[in-house]
Coordinates of all heavy atoms in Angstrom, one line a residue:
N1178 N -14.5 -21.7 -13.1 CA -14.9 -22.1 -14.4 C -14.4 -21.0 -15.4 O -15.0 -19.9 -15.5 CB -16.4 -22.2 -14.5 CG -16.9 -22.5 -15.9 OD1 -16.1 -22.5 -16.8 ND2 -18.2 -22.8 -16.1
P1179 N -13.3 -21.3 -16.2 CA -12.7 -20.3 -16.9 C -13.6 -19.7 -18.1 O -13.3 -18.7 -18.6 CB -11.5 -20.9 -17.5 CG -11.5 -22.4 -17.1 CD -12.7 -22.6 -16.3
T1180 N -14.7 -20.4 -18.4 CA -15.4 -20.0 -19.6 C -16.7 -19.2 -19.2 O -17.4 -18.7 -20.0 CB -15.9 -21.2 -20.5 OG1 -16.6 -22.1 -19.6 CG2 -14.7 -21.8 -21.1
T1181 N -17.0 -19.2 -17.9 CA -18.2 -18.5 -17.4 C -18.0 -17.1 -17.2 O -17.1 -16.6 -16.5 CB -18.7 -19.2 -16.1 OG1 -18.7 -20.6 -16.3 CG2 -20.1 -18.7 -15.7
A1182 N -18.8 -16.3 -17.9 CA -18.7 -14.8 -17.7 C -19.3 -14.5 -16.3 O -20.1 -15.2 -15.7 CB -19.5 -14.1 -18.7
A1183 N -18.7 -13.4 -15.7 CA -19.2 -13.0 -14.4 C -20.7 -12.6 -14.4 O -21.1 -11.9 -15.3 CB -18.4 -11.8 -13.9
P1184 N -21.5 -13.2 -13.5 CA -22.9 -12.9 -13.6 C -23.2 -11.4 -13.2 O -22.5 -10.9 -12.3 CB -23.5 -13.8 -12.6 CG -22.4 -14.2 -11.7 CD -21.1 -14.0 -12.4
T1185 N -24.2 -10.8 -13.8 CA -24.6 -9.5 -13.3 C -25.4 -9.7 -12.0 O -26.2 -10.6 -11.9 CB -25.5 -8.8 -14.4 OG1 -24.7 -8.8 -15.6 CG2 -25.9 -7.4 -14.0
P1186 N -25.1 -8.9 -11.0 CA -25.7 -9.1 -9.7 C -27.2 -8.8 -9.8 O -27.7 -8.0 -10.5 CB -25.0 -8.1 -8.8 CG -24.4 -7.1 -9.7 CD -24.2 -7.7 -11.0
T1187 N -27.9 -9.7 -9.0 CA -29.4 -9.4 -8.9 C -29.7 -8.8 -7.6 O -29.3 -9.2 -6.5 CB -30.1 -10.8 -8.9 OG1 -29.5 -11.6 -9.9 CG2 -31.6 -10.7 -9.1
P1188 N -30.3 -7.6 -7.6 CA -30.6 -6.9 -6.4 C -31.5 -7.8 -5.5 O -32.4 -8.5 -6.0 CB -31.4 -5.7 -6.8 CG -31.0 -5.5 -8.3 CD -30.7 -6.8 -8.8
T1189 N -31.1 -7.8 -4.2 CA -31.9 -8.7 -3.3 C -32.8 -7.8 -2.3 O -33.6 -8.4 -1.7 CB -30.9 -9.5 -2.4 OG1 -30.0 -8.6 -1.8 CG2 -30.1 -10.5 -3.2
A1190 N -32.6 -6.6 -2.3 CA -33.4 -5.7 -1.4 C -33.4 -4.3 -2.0 O -32.4 -3.9 -2.6 CB -32.8 -5.7 0.0
P1191 N -34.5 -3.6 -1.9 CA -34.5 -2.3 -2.4 C -33.5 -1.4 -1.6 O -33.4 -1.5 -0.4 CB -35.9 -1.8 -2.2 CG -36.5 -2.7 -1.2 CD -35.7 -4.0 -1.2
G1192 N -32.8 -0.5 -2.3 CA -31.9 0.5 -1.6 C -32.5 1.9 -1.7 O -33.4 2.1 -2.5
P1193 N -31.8 2.8 -1.1 CA -32.3 4.2 -1.1 C -32.1 4.7 -2.5 O -31.1 4.4 -3.2 CB -31.4 4.9 -0.1 CG -30.2 4.0 0.0 CD -30.6 2.7 -0.2
T1194 N -33.0 5.5 -3.0 CA -32.8 6.2 -4.3 C -32.5 7.7 -4.0 O -33.4 8.4 -3.7 CB -34.1 6.1 -5.2 OG1 -34.4 4.7 -5.2 CG2 -33.8 6.5 -6.6
P1195 N -31.2 8.1 -4.1 CA -30.9 9.4 -3.7 C -31.5 10.5 -4.7 O -31.5 10.2 -5.9 CB -29.4 9.5 -3.6 CG -29.0 8.4 -4.5 CD -30.1 7.3 -4.5
T1196 N -31.9 11.6 -4.2 CA -32.3 12.6 -5.1 C -31.3 13.8 -5.1 O -31.4 14.7 -5.9 CB -33.7 13.2 -4.6 OG1 -33.6 13.5 -3.2 CG2 -34.8 12.1 -4.8
A1197 N -30.4 13.8 -4.1 CA -29.4 14.8 -4.0 C -28.2 14.2 -3.4 O -28.2 13.1 -2.9 CB -30.0 16.0 -3.1
L1198 N -27.1 15.0 -3.3 CA -25.9 14.5 -2.7 C -26.2 14.4 -1.2 O -26.9 15.1 -0.6 CB -24.8 15.6 -2.8 CG -24.1 15.6 -4.2 CD1 -23.0 16.6 -4.2 CD2 -23.6 14.3 -4.6
P1199 N -25.5 13.3 -0.6 CA -25.7 13.2 0.9 C -25.1 14.3 1.7 O -24.4 15.1 1.2 CB -25.0 11.9 1.2 CG -24.1 11.6 0.0 CD -24.6 12.4 -1.1
A1200 N -25.5 14.3 3.0 CA -25.1 15.3 3.9 C -23.6 15.6 3.8 O -22.8 14.6 3.7 CB -25.5 14.9 5.3
K1201 N -23.2 16.8 4.0 CA -21.7 17.1 4.0 C -21.1 16.7 5.3 O -21.7 16.8 6.4 CB -21.5 18.6 3.8 CG -21.7 19.1 2.4 CD -20.8 20.3 2.1 CE -20.6 20.4 0.6 NZ -20.0 21.6 0.2
P1202 N -19.9 16.2 5.2 CA -19.2 15.8 6.5 C -18.7 17.0 7.3 O -18.6 18.1 6.8 CB -18.0 15.0 6.0 CG -17.7 15.6 4.6 CD -19.0 16.0 4.1
A1203 N -18.5 16.8 8.6 CA -18.0 17.8 9.5 C -16.5 18.1 9.2 O -16.0 19.2 9.4 CB -18.2 17.4 10.9
A1204 N -15.8 17.0 8.7 CA -14.4 17.2 8.4 C -14.0 16.2 7.4 O -14.6 15.1 7.2 CB -13.5 16.9 9.7
F1205 N -13.0 16.5 6.6 CA -12.4 15.5 5.6 C -11.0 15.8 5.4 O -10.5 17.0 5.5 CB -13.3 15.5 4.4 CG -12.8 16.3 3.2 CD1 -12.0 15.8 2.2 CD2 -13.1 17.7 3.2 CE1 -11.6 16.6 1.2 CE2 -12.6 18.5 2.1 CZ -11.9 17.9 1.1
V1206 N -10.2 14.8 5.1 CA -8.8 14.9 4.7 C -8.6 13.9 3.6 O -9.3 12.9 3.5 CB -7.8 14.6 5.9 CG1 -7.8 15.8 6.9 CG2 -8.1 13.3 6.6
R1207 N -7.5 14.1 2.8 CA -7.2 13.2 1.7 C -5.7 13.1 1.5 O -5.0 14.0 2.0 CB -7.9 13.7 0.4 CG -7.4 15.1 0.1 CD -8.2 15.7 -1.0 NE -8.0 15.1 -2.3 CZ -7.8 15.9 -3.5 NH1 -7.8 17.2 -3.4 NH2 -7.6 15.3 -4.6
S1208 N -5.3 12.0 0.9 CA -3.9 11.8 0.7 C -3.5 12.3 -0.7 O -4.4 12.7 -1.5 CB -3.5 10.3 0.7 OG -4.2 9.6 -0.3
A1209 N -2.2 12.4 -1.0 CA -1.7 12.8 -2.3 C -0.4 12.1 -2.6 O 0.6 12.7 -2.9 CB -1.5 14.3 -2.3
W1210 N -0.5 10.8 -2.5 CA 0.8 10.0 -2.8 C 1.2 10.0 -4.2 O 2.4 10.0 -4.5 CB 0.6 8.5 -2.3 CG 0.2 8.4 -0.9 CD1 -1.0 8.1 -0.3 CD2 1.1 8.6 0.2 NE1 -0.9 8.1 1.0 CE2 0.4 8.4 1.4 CE3 2.5 8.9 0.3 CZ2 1.0 8.5 2.7 CZ3 3.1 9.0 1.6 CH2 2.3 8.8 2.8
S1211 N 0.3 10.1 -5.1 CA 0.6 10.1 -6.6 C 1.5 11.2 -6.9 O 2.3 11.1 -7.9 CB -0.6 10.1 -7.5 OG -1.7 9.5 -6.9
T1212 N 1.3 12.4 -6.3 CA 2.1 13.6 -6.6 C 3.2 13.9 -5.6 O 3.8 15.0 -5.7 CB 1.1 14.8 -6.8 OG1 0.4 14.9 -5.5 CG2 0.2 14.6 -7.9
D1213 N 3.4 13.0 -4.7 CA 4.4 13.2 -3.6 C 5.8 12.9 -4.1 O 6.0 11.8 -4.5 CB 4.0 12.3 -2.4 CG 4.9 12.4 -1.2 OD1 6.1 12.7 -1.4 OD2 4.4 12.2 -0.1
P1214 N 6.7 13.9 -4.1 CA 8.0 13.6 -4.7 C 8.8 12.6 -4.0 O 9.8 12.1 -4.5 CB 8.7 15.0 -4.6 CG 8.0 15.8 -3.5 CD 6.6 15.3 -3.6
Y1215 N 8.5 12.3 -2.7 CA 9.3 11.4 -1.9 C 8.6 10.0 -1.8 O 9.0 9.2 -1.0 CB 9.6 11.9 -0.5 CG 10.3 13.3 -0.6 CD1 9.7 14.4 0.0 CD2 11.4 13.5 -1.4 CE1 10.3 15.7 -0.1 CE2 12.0 14.7 -1.6 CZ 11.4 15.8 -0.9 OH 12.0 17.0 -1.1
A1216 N 7.6 9.8 -2.6 CA 6.9 8.5 -2.7 C 6.7 8.1 -4.1 O 7.0 7.0 -4.5 CB 5.6 8.5 -2.0
R1217 N 6.2 9.1 -4.9 CA 6.0 8.9 -6.4 C 5.1 7.6 -6.6 O 5.4 6.8 -7.4 CB 7.3 8.9 -7.1 CG 8.1 10.1 -6.9 CD 9.2 10.3 -7.8 NE 10.1 11.3 -7.3 CZ 10.9 12.1 -8.0 NH1 10.9 12.0 -9.3 NH2 11.8 12.9 -7.5
G1218 N 4.1 7.5 -5.8 CA 3.2 6.4 -5.8 C 2.9 5.9 -4.4 O 3.4 6.5 -3.4
A1219 N 2.1 4.8 -4.3 CA 1.7 4.3 -3.0 C 2.5 3.1 -2.6 O 2.9 2.9 -1.5 CB 0.2 4.1 -3.0
M1220 N 2.6 2.1 -3.6 CA 3.2 0.8 -3.3 C 3.6 0.1 -4.5 O 3.1 0.4 -5.6 CB 2.2 0.0 -2.5 CG 0.9 -0.2 -3.2 SD -0.5 -0.8 -2.2 CE -0.7 0.6 -1.1
S1221 N 4.6 -0.7 -4.4 CA 5.1 -1.5 -5.6 C 4.1 -2.6 -5.9 O 3.4 -3.1 -5.1 CB 6.5 -2.0 -5.4 OG 6.4 -3.0 -4.4
F1222 N 4.1 -3.0 -7.2 CA 3.3 -4.2 -7.6 C 4.1 -5.0 -8.6 O 5.1 -4.4 -9.3 CB 1.9 -3.8 -8.1 CG 1.9 -3.0 -9.4 CD1 1.9 -3.7 -10.6 CD2 2.0 -1.6 -9.4 CE1 1.8 -2.9 -11.8 CE2 2.0 -0.9 -10.6 CZ 1.9 -1.5 -11.8
T1223 N 3.7 -6.2 -8.8 CA 4.4 -7.1 -9.8 C 3.7 -6.8 -11.1 O 2.7 -7.4 -11.4 CB 4.4 -8.5 -9.3 OG1 4.9 -8.6 -8.0 CG2 5.3 -9.4 -10.2
A1224 N 4.4 -6.0 -11.9 CA 3.8 -5.6 -13.2 C 3.9 -6.8 -14.2 O 4.8 -7.7 -14.1 CB 4.5 -4.4 -13.8
V1225 N 3.1 -6.8 -15.3 CA 3.1 -7.8 -16.3 C 4.6 -7.9 -16.8 O 5.2 -6.8 -17.1 CB 2.1 -7.6 -17.4 CG1 2.3 -6.3 -18.1 CG2 2.1 -8.7 -18.3
G1226 N 5.1 -9.1 -16.9 CA 6.5 -9.2 -17.4 C 7.5 -9.2 -16.3 O 8.7 -9.6 -16.5
S1227 N 7.2 -8.8 -15.1 CA 8.1 -8.9 -13.9 C 7.7 -10.0 -13.0 O 6.8 -10.7 -13.3 CB 8.1 -7.6 -13.1 OG 6.9 -7.4 -12.4
S1228 N 8.6 -10.3 -12.0 CA 8.3 -11.4 -11.1 C 8.9 -11.1 -9.8 O 9.7 -10.2 -9.6 CB 8.9 -12.7 -11.7 OG 10.3 -12.7 -11.5
P1229 N 8.6 -12.0 -8.8 CA 9.3 -11.8 -7.5 C 10.8 -11.9 -7.5 O 11.5 -11.3 -6.7 CB 8.7 -12.9 -6.6 CG 7.4 -13.2 -7.3 CD 7.6 -13.0 -8.7
A1230 N 11.3 -12.5 -8.6 CA 12.8 -12.5 -8.7 C 13.4 -11.1 -8.9 O 14.5 -10.9 -8.4 CB 13.2 -13.4 -9.9

Side-chain angles (χ1 to χ4, degrees):
N1178 177 353
T1180 56
T1181 309
T1185 303
T1187 315
T1189 55
T1194 310
T1196 52
L1198 286 184
K1201 279 212 164 171
F1205 93 99
V1206 286
R1207 60 191 287 225
S1208 64
W1210 298 106
S1211 328
T1212 53
D1213 180 327
Y1215 306 123
R1217 306 194 195 205
M1220 56 197 67
S1221 67
F1222 66 91
T1223 308
V1225 60
S1227 69
S1228 80

